[in-house]
Amino acid sequence: MNQSRARITAIGTYVPEKKLTNADLEKMVETTDEWIVQRTGMHERRVSADDQFASHLAFGAVQNLIDGYGKDLSDVDCIIVATTTPDHAFPSVACLIQNHFDIPATGAFDLNATCAGFTYSLHVANNMVSSGIHKKILVVASETLTKVTDYTDRSTCILFGDAAAAMLVEYDEQNPSFLASHMGANGAGGAHVYRRTFAPTLHGQELDPSGKMVQNGREVYKWATRTIPGGVEELLIKSGIERDKLDWFIPHSANLRMVESICDKAGINVENTLTSMQYFGNTSSASIPLAIHKGIKEGKVNDGDTMLLYGFGGGLTHLGLVLNWSPDSPKA
């Protein structure tokens, strides 16, 4: 990884008000609170309103960032939004954010790397800023997965929730946040988790025409628990950081049992992980920044902490980052 010249300076999050509890799911499909908690660690999820879309959640997260850190967005020169559930095929959610906050001179685009979308977006932002071409990039993750969840499929409907998060990445040659990165993909496994739009088949396999998410949880679990520990090892080698010097491991909050298995195979203490799935569900690209912000609010995350973020999901895609967490001071 080339020398970074980019620092994460602020963070904000937003979740819808409506909750979907395990008790609610018991009334919808054949399941129980005990079964869900044992297999996923989840108790609640947040659900967007019928007239609330990815852009609206994104507006809330960005406004939370502004309110929390007193940030001015007028000089943002690029907006990157990680999402698999945009309001429209086009215009992009990023363009809707540009319009909503009246940012005068900025590029704007959406990025789809599913549950790895936020780490992919941070990686792109870091390289754009470190090149010297950009100075201030707004990175957002916003997902409304409940709108594409099949609530007759008890194996998947218990998992997903809606949320958004935002970070600012700014030029800082003296105190960069980004220490190492590792990325990869396995397109051969794409049919293990998908949502059909136009093409009726993938790798010769007929796809469900409903437009809802379809997931082979067993295969995704096997891929993630085999792939991510190796990626963690690569990141530790690249960063030169010893495992016991890592303050926080923050994987995609797909499922608590999956996270526990990854930690076991990667040699990381589960107590040193931050997750967000317990009361927000699997929020895809938003899950990692949601976990970080939750850790800040709970007094766990401190300035100068070393974090290993690892996003992974459909595609199949994965990308990990080692960060030095040193944002600006929040407003009093």
Side-chain angles (χ1 to χ4, degrees), residues 64-248:
N64 182 248
L65 179 152
I66 294 169
D67 295 342
Y69 290 83
K71 284 291 184 176
D72 175 16
L73 302 187
S74 64
D75 56 344
V76 163
D77 53 24
C78 191
I79 303 167
I80 305 173
V81 176
T83 185
T84 62
T85 52
D87 304 36
H88 319 284
F90 50 88
S92 67
V93 175
C95 282
L96 299 178
I97 291 172
Q98 180 275 328
N99 177 67
H100 181 82
F101 289 98
D102 193 24
I103 302 172
T106 185
F109 63 93
D110 289 358
L111 183 156
N112 181 354
T114 61
C115 302
F118 196 74
T119 51
Y120 264 74
S121 297
L122 282 179
H123 181 64
V124 171
N126 170 47
N127 283 282
M128 292 173 72
V129 170
S130 295
S131 73
I133 296 172
H134 290 267
K135 297 296 184 184
K136 191 173 185 179
I137 297 181
L138 178 63
V139 176
V140 181
S142 189
E143 303 285 7
T144 54
L145 295 177
T146 64
K147 296 186 187 302
V148 293
T149 296
D150 180 358
Y151 284 99
T152 67
D153 179 3
R154 73 170 190 155
S155 66
T156 60
C157 74
I158 63 173
L159 298 173
F160 300 106
D162 301 336
M167 287 185 184
L168 268 181
V169 179
E170 302 188 55
Y171 189 87
D172 189 333
E173 193 169 357
Q174 301 303 316
N175 188 29
S177 296
F178 298 84
L179 306 180
S181 65
H182 176 73
M183 68 189 302
N186 177 16
H192 294 324
V193 52
Y194 70 86
R195 180 164 67 91
R196 174 180 158 176
T197 51
F198 299 123
T201 64
L202 176 61
H203 305 321
Q205 175 182 321
E206 292 286 335
L207 302 181
D208 185 307
S210 69
K212 301 294 186 181
M213 283 187 296
V214 177
Q215 176 172 271
N216 184 332
R218 185 180 298 274
E219 290 300 320
V220 174
Y221 183 97
K222 288 194 302 186
W223 168 77
T225 55
R226 290 170 180 170
T227 303
I228 309 312
V232 169
E233 190 64 32
E234 285 289 325
L235 284 165
L236 293 174
I237 292 170
K238 287 180 179 180
S239 66
I241 294 172
E242 297 180 8
R243 198 174 259 93
D244 61 356
K245 300 300 182 183
L246 196 65
D247 292 298
W248 298 109

Side-chain angles (χ1 to χ4, degrees), residues 302-319:
N302 297 298
D303 190 53
D305 281 356
T306 303
M307 300 176 168
L308 196 158
L309 281 53
Y310 218 116
F312 54 89
L316 301 164
T317 57
H318 64 100
L319 192 149

